[in-house]
Amino acid sequence: MFELNDALERLHLPPARTLVLRNAVSELGEAIYWIADERPELFCAYQHTQGPQLTGAMKSAQYIVSCIGHAPDRAVFVGVYEIMGGRLIDAAQFNALPEHQELARNGYGMIADSDTAWAFDLQARPVMETWKGKLVFGWPGGTRSWWRYAGRNRFPIEAMLEESIITRRIPPWQELVLTWAQLALLPTSWRTLLSQWRGIYFIHDERRRLGYVGSAAGAENLLGRWLDYAASGHGGNKLLRQSQPADLRFSVLERTSPDMAVREVVPLEQTWKRRLHTHTPYGLNEN
């Protein structure tokens, strides 16, 4: 059976100096796929600081093979990174990095003021890049350890898929629910579709248990409107300013014809406000 180490050796990547990291979906949720697929600078930032045990291993390693958990005993390949050294950074330096701040919006925690972290310089290498999201291999010994020494383990190749499973398709509009943090990370294909979708949307504040109904029929339609919320957290709405952006969830109530005029969309928006009782004090719509 062909194994990951066979591929590494053929590409002159020594398994004895290579670590394999299996990143979990649970920490960042769906966003980990978007980051791995389209935001390499964020994915590197997500990986370049680790806990004490893995930090020690990375100091003596030369490469890491990064992947994402695909099933309890499977992993899907993301990329190969060369470890080019590193430096010790304190909490202020860690938390000040723009990439860490953006990741923090999606659940990746900052470090305490008293802590320090070893930040590695990880350089992506083009080897195996055509296998990104397509190569699926077995993960030895269960999932309690999310990283392994390549040379000490066996990673049987389970599948080579025709299409990447990291590149995520947008769900049907009726099923789409996004957090505020996810709005800034939307994949390119999702942005394209949302820029074409015109209609009525709903914002739910999970903590306050209040809702807001809005309409999108202007420039870039839903995408343009939701990016306003991504930037400000409230989109100019006075009552939404009292919400915490992290508590907000965005969904689509109704899609309209892509060429429906604004004067026709606004009355439709009003019917949804009445039906969902989102006028203040029962909701977050003032009018």
Side-chain angles (χ1 to χ4, degrees):
M1 179 180 289
F2 193 65
E3 299 182 4
L4 178 64
N5 284 341
D6 296 324
L8 295 179
E9 289 175 345
R10 293 186 185 187
L11 294 166
H12 307 292
L13 302 176
R17 300 200 63 197
T18 300
L19 302 171
V20 188
L21 277 55
R22 183 181 184 273
N23 297 290
V25 175
S26 57
E27 186 171 26
L28 292 178
E30 185 77 6
I32 194 171
Y33 295 108
W34 307 345
I35 290 169
D37 194 30
E38 296 191 3
R39 298 293 300 277
E41 78 286 3
L42 290 186
F43 198 68
C44 268
Y46 180 62
Q47 299 181 109
H48 81 153
T49 56
Q50 302 292 347
Q53 189 176 13
L54 180 51
T55 293
M58 289 177 69
K59 285 181 178 180
S60 60
Q62 185 177 1
Y63 297 98
I64 64 171
V65 173
S66 185
C67 58
I68 295 175
H70 179 52
D73 59 349
R74 299 288 188 275
V76 57
F77 171 75
V78 174
V80 174
Y81 300 83
E82 186 170 1
I83 303 171
M84 306 298 291
R87 62 191 178 97
L88 192 66
I89 60 174
D90 60 25
Q93 293 170 310
F94 179 99
N95 297 335
L97 289 172
E99 293 85 359
H100 286 172
Q101 292 174 5
E102 188 164 359
L103 288 168
R105 290 172 52 171
N106 288 273
Y108 177 73
M110 297 298 191
I111 66 174
D113 291 341
S114 60
D115 290 340
T116 58
W118 192 267
F120 291 93
D121 178 12
L122 302 179
Q123 298 295 317
R125 296 299 179 228
V127 293
M128 298 170 29
E129 63 182 359
T130 58
W131 299 355
K132 180 178 179 178
K134 300 177 182 179
L135 176 66
V136 179
F137 53 86
W139 189 256
T143 59
R144 292 190 66 180
S145 179
W146 68 275
W147 63 274
R148 304 282 188 188
Y149 288 97
R152 302 179 189 176
N153 292 275
R154 302 182 65 183
F155 305 87
I157 303 299
E158 302 289 347
M160 180 64 77
L161 307 174
E162 291 187 4
E163 296 186 7
S164 169
I165 57 177
I166 291 176
T167 302
R168 315 296 279 184
R169 294 182 178 180
I170 192 170
W173 67 266
Q174 303 95 325
E175 301 174 14
L176 181 66
V177 181
L178 297 170
T179 67
W180 170 75
Q182 288 175 335
L183 298 180
L185 296 174
L186 293 174
T188 300
S189 61
W190 293 36
R191 288 173 176 256
T192 299
L193 286 173
L194 286 170
S195 71
Q196 299 168 358
W197 290 0
R198 177 169 294 197
I200 313 302
Y201 62 87
F202 185 69
I203 303 176
H204 178 62
D205 184 324
E206 290 193 331
R207 181 178 59 85
R208 299 169 68 194
R209 298 183 181 182
L210 297 173
Y212 174 86
V213 170
S215 61
E220 295 193 286
N221 295 315
L222 275 171
L223 176 67
R225 194 70 190 99
W226 283 1
L227 289 183
D228 286 342
Y229 293 108
S232 66
H234 51 74
N237 178 270
K238 185 175 72 174
L239 295 181
L240 278 172
R241 290 177 187 270
Q242 302 170 30
S243 297
Q244 295 297 319
D247 296 330
L248 302 180
R249 302 294 180 267
F250 296 76
S251 58
V252 183
L253 292 172
E254 181 176 351
R255 281 182 58 193
T256 66
S257 169
D259 58 357
M260 178 178 280
V262 175
R263 66 178 182 276
E264 298 176 41
V265 175
V266 172
L268 188 60
E269 174 188 357
Q270 293 298 327
T271 68
W272 278 105
K273 292 176 183 177
R274 291 194 296 272
R275 281 181 279 173
L276 296 180
H277 308 285
T278 61
H279 286 106
T280 185
Y282 308 107
L284 299 172
N285 288 105
E286 288 191 286
N287 51 49

